[in-house]
Amino acid sequence: MSKLEASRYIEHLGGIDPVRVNGKVTQVIGLTIESEGPDASIGDVCQIYPGKGAPPLLAEVVGFRDNRLVLMPLGELNAIGPGCDVVGTGKPLTVQVGSELLGKVLDGLGRPLDGSFIPSRMVRYPTTAPPSNPLFRPRVKEPLGIGIRAIDGLLTVGQGQRVGIFAGSGVGKSTLLGMIARNTAADVNVIALIGERGREVLEFIEKDLGPEGLARSVVIVATSDQPALIRIKGAVIATTIAEYFRDRGLNVMLMMDSVTRYAMAQREVGLAIGEPPATRGYTPSVFAGLPKLLERAGTGPSGSITAFYTVLVDGDDMNEPVADAVRGILDGHIVLSRDLAHKGHFPAIDVLSSVSRVMNEIVVERHKQAATALKRMLAVYRDSEDLIHIGAYQSGSNADIDEAVAQMDFIQSFTRQRTDEKDDFDETVRQLTDHFTRS
């Protein structure tokens, strides 16, 4: 036996507790399980043994009530009843991480969905890591090519930036994420599908992501039928895997669809353990938990996590509570417009309603001036669009409007892009700056 193998066995033996203290299930109410014992802390994982030879159910300690543990199951509650043994592991949930995960599709607990094997030699990371010390987080200085002209040219994203994609249902969020995953210049993609319909998972992987995108991606799936805690853990595990690759010096693209459904799962847990609802039914812990998750992405000493979080806005209301909270945490937002989608304009990015908070710090002056010129022309045209369409505007009445009308063909072609079309970042910048230099 090699020294490495021996050290692994010794490490494993060191983690074994020879004395097992059991607790007992006392009652199950809604989504929660109450038990008397064992000794455990908030966040610890326990094993509940249903009996009859069934495998143990994992559950997490989420609170205490009358000197009893309140647990949330990481699975279905089938066969759980009063008197079932509850055994504490004494540690929070961990996940196996390593380069072997590339090309894998995992469930909300980090296990392969296709039943394939993950080597046991991989490193285990705790899922409860705190955000980086802000003084040790380098500034965002370098642009990252996304491969989408409207973003690279007008809403440039930097390595380590965190951006929200805000849209109602059916406006093209998943399609946009698939384009980013295929086209980005990042080294690794980590994609979390949280609370998605089961039908859409394979569709996203085969159609939107494609073989080339999957080959350098890790996909974590926690569908809407999964227990709330698994949906929460899916988001947390995806962030943990992204942190692993960042710590290895890689530039990681983390995409989460959607952070709204993560917040909804947090609300379910909060209400189940007795938290009072605050804003539109969301509990205070939701708004406390969002920054703890989102702040874990960003730059690091040797790598970066550039993150895109989709935000599902109810009724296209950009000021609903979760959207408003997320917008205040992130470093920029991209708004998808239903009106543009109805006109067949894809990706349906509303450039004037979107912003990258680091763009001015990471692009050259010529690029900045060209992007500003395009946005100004688009704003002028949009203000006068109704007059132009009904024929009430007479050419020559306003020089700015005349110029905006003349520029619209270029603006439309620049901001439209086929899903299978990939543009190089430098070529996008050259196309934009050359056009406005000539004009």
Side-chain angles (χ1 to χ4, degrees), residues 73-114:
L74 291 163
E76 298 299 332
L77 285 170
N78 300 334
I80 299 295
C84 288
D85 285 342
V86 181
V87 180
T89 64
K91 57 186 178 182
L93 186 69
T94 60
V95 61
Q96 286 182 287
V97 291
S99 58
E100 293 88 347
L101 293 180
L102 292 175
K104 295 278 189 184
V105 181
L106 311 177
D107 67 9
L109 298 179
R111 304 170 299 199
L113 264 180
D114 60 1

Side-chain angles (χ1 to χ4, degrees), residues 141 143 152-153 156 358-369 425 429:
K141 296 180 180 179
D152 286 345
T156 309
V358 304
M359 178 177 177
N360 290 342
E361 305 297 324
I362 60 175
V363 300
V364 297
E365 187 64 27
R366 191 164 174 249
H367 180 183
K368 190 190 308 182
Q369 291 175 356
F425 178 82
V429 175

Side-chain angles (χ1 to χ4, degrees), residues 259-397:
V259 73
T260 305
R261 294 192 175 106
Y262 165 82
M264 289 177 176
Q266 285 275 30
R267 178 175 62 184
E268 284 185 45
V269 172
L271 293 174
I273 63 176
E275 261 195 284
T279 308
R280 293 199 189 178
Y282 287 101
T283 56
S285 63
V286 173
F287 301 103
L290 281 171
K292 291 180 181 178
L293 176 71
L294 304 182
E295 285 287 349
R296 289 172 64 178
T299 55
S302 58
S304 67
I305 300 175
T306 306
F308 283 87
Y309 300 97
T310 68
V311 181
L312 183 64
V313 289
D314 292 334
D316 294 338
D317 177 13
M318 298 297 168
N319 296 314
E320 62 96 24
V322 172
D324 200 44
V326 170
R327 189 164 48 240
I329 297 167
L330 299 180
D331 309 315
H333 53 272
I334 295 171
V335 176
L336 302 187
S337 165
R338 193 174 298 278
D339 289 340
L340 288 175
H342 287 167
K343 294 174 183 177
H345 187 292
F346 291 103
I349 297 173
D350 186 343
V351 173
L352 297 181
S353 299
S354 307
V355 66
S356 170
R357 293 180 180 170
V358 304
M359 178 177 177
N360 290 342
E361 305 297 324
I362 60 175
V363 300
V364 297
E365 187 64 27
R366 191 164 174 249
H367 180 183
K368 190 190 308 182
Q369 291 175 356
T372 301
L374 187 148
K375 291 176 185 177
R376 187 175 69 85
M377 290 293 98
L378 185 57
V380 169
Y381 183 86
R382 189 168 293 179
D383 287 343
S384 309
E385 191 171 9
D386 290 340
L387 293 176
I388 295 168
H389 285 173
I390 66 175
Y393 174 73
Q394 296 297 319
S395 179
S397 303

